[in-house]
Amino acid sequence: MEIRQWRRAALAQLSAGESPKRDVEVLLAHVTGKSRSWLIAFDETVLTPEQLEQLSALVARRASGEPVAWLTGEREFWSLPLLVSRDTLIPRPDTELLVEVALAHLPQNGPTVLDLGTGTGAVALAIASERPDAQVTGVDCIAGAVGLAQNNAQRLALANVRFFQSDWFSAIGEARYTLIVSNPPYIDEADEHLCQGDVRFEPISALVAGDHGLADIKKISARAADYLLPGGWLMFEHGWQQAEQVRAILRSHHFVQVETCQDYGGNDRVTFAQLSE
Ligand code: GLN
């Protein structure tokens, strides 16, 4: 069967999904090892029986709702190819905003960064890749996530980042950082969005927090001052309706210069603040 025939059949099979066109291209690229532009240019190429067998198994799994990143084992974030696993959230494009805001607030000359709830390591790795002079630490309470983030650092040959297990600040000790960044769980457990699409498959511990999604943001904000250098920054990704509350939480812990930024969809997504000197 030619690529173009297979593509048409697979599209029909995945038409009820969220992004059938993209899914089909990503799966084709994964199985053939060819780029997406090659697959478009040479779509009269005949697929081998092994490729067809692999592809049909993957399409069946996608049709039952499994995230594409799990089928390929990878997701790109900040142009870095990252391994993903069932232990963590799949990195989202919106989270690149958190990286942008962090980079904009990192001073020159060897700053230190702590990424709380690092998951795949996405945010820590992106910052480390942009700032070789920074020392970046990523922590996660799930051992499997720590191992995954370490694998990602190794594959990307990033030497200025390290990962270890810690439940928020529990294993941080005496260290103090220039900047603390976190994409914590922030979804309200009653949010109906949790029963739709790809999030259904992701670990609930990475998504849901008590107190209408704010419990972890509160916990981190209450303790962050003990782990920041004077004038250090704390920043969170949060839900699009949580900005005002997150700003109030930060102010209540005596942070100053409290600001919110919008993601590419125009929704409030990142709030950050400075520890007063
Ligand atoms: N933005 C993610 C979603 O809506 C949630 C990420 C998180 O809870 N940290 O699926």
Side-chain angles (χ1 to χ4, degrees):
M1 186 187 284
E2 292 177 7
I3 287 173
R4 60 180 141 197
Q5 294 167 312
W6 181 82
R7 188 188 273 133
R8 221 173 299 132
L11 269 176
Q13 226 181 317
L14 296 179
S15 60
E18 290 168 44
S19 49
K21 263 192 137 148
R22 203 193 105 228
D23 297 354
V24 164
E25 297 308 323
V26 171
L27 294 179
L28 262 178
H30 176 67
V31 167
T32 60
K34 303 290 187 193
S35 70
R36 286 159 77 174
S37 49
W38 189 97
L39 291 162
I40 290 164
F42 301 104
D43 68 355
E44 77 289 358
T45 306
V46 175
L47 292 159
T48 68
E50 294 77 36
Q51 287 172 333
L52 283 171
E53 196 178 320
Q54 247 184 305
L55 282 165
S56 72
L58 292 173
V59 168
R61 285 169 63 189
R62 180 59 186 145
S64 75
E66 256 189 80
V68 177
W70 282 6
L71 305 182
T72 62
E74 263 194 19
R75 172 56 47 91
E76 197 164 284
F77 179 82
W78 200 264
S79 300
L80 304 172
L82 298 181
L83 299 172
V84 301
S85 83
R86 281 153 210 255
D87 285 320
T88 76
L89 207 67
I90 297 164
R92 317 281 206 254
D94 281 338
T95 303
E96 293 187 354
L97 176 66
L98 192 58
V99 175
E100 275 179 39
V101 175
L103 291 173
H105 289 83
L106 271 187
Q108 293 309 311
N109 302 326
T112 53
V113 178
L114 174 63
D115 176 21
L116 294 172
T118 195
T120 58
V123 171
L125 294 164
I127 294 171
S129 76
E130 293 289 336
R131 288 290 299 267
D133 65 312
Q135 287 300 325
V136 184
T137 301
V139 299
D140 204 285
C141 65
I142 312 260
V146 174
L148 178 71
Q150 281 165 341
N151 276 347
N152 277 323
Q154 225 161 35
R155 278 179 100 216
L156 296 167
L158 291 170
N160 58 329
V161 57
R162 61 185 188 135
F163 296 99
F164 58 87
Q165 200 173 356
S166 178
D167 186 3
W168 303 136
F169 297 107
S170 70
I172 300 297
E174 303 282 289
R176 305 228 166 199
Y177 298 86
T178 319
L179 190 148
I180 298 176
V181 68
S182 185
N183 174 15
Y186 56 70
I187 301 179
D188 183 343
E189 63 190 342
D191 193 325
E192 57 196 26
H193 163 87
L194 290 167
C195 347
Q196 296 160 10
D198 290 7
V199 290
R200 286 174 300 165
F201 291 81
E202 292 175 294
I204 203 83
S205 67
L207 292 163
V208 169
D211 201 355
H212 304 289
L214 293 168
D216 289 303
I217 290 177
K218 284 186 179 169
K219 228 182 269 176
I220 294 168
S221 302
R223 300 188 54 206
D226 292 339
Y227 299 94
L228 279 171
L229 291 165
W233 293 90
L234 173 61
M235 41 195 69
F236 292 110
E237 176 175 314
H238 54 70
W240 64 285
Q241 291 169 309
Q242 293 172 332
E244 208 177 307
Q245 294 161 88
V246 175
R247 287 195 297 266
I249 294 165
L250 287 167
R251 286 197 191 98
S252 78
H253 293 291
H254 311 293
F255 280 90
V256 294
Q257 312 269 23
V258 187
E259 265 183 70
T260 296
C261 286
Q262 285 77 41
D263 62 22
Y264 311 116
N267 294 312
D268 286 343
R269 185 62 61 196
V270 168
T271 293
F272 58 99
Q274 190 172 27
L275 187 64
S276 51
E277 308 230 13

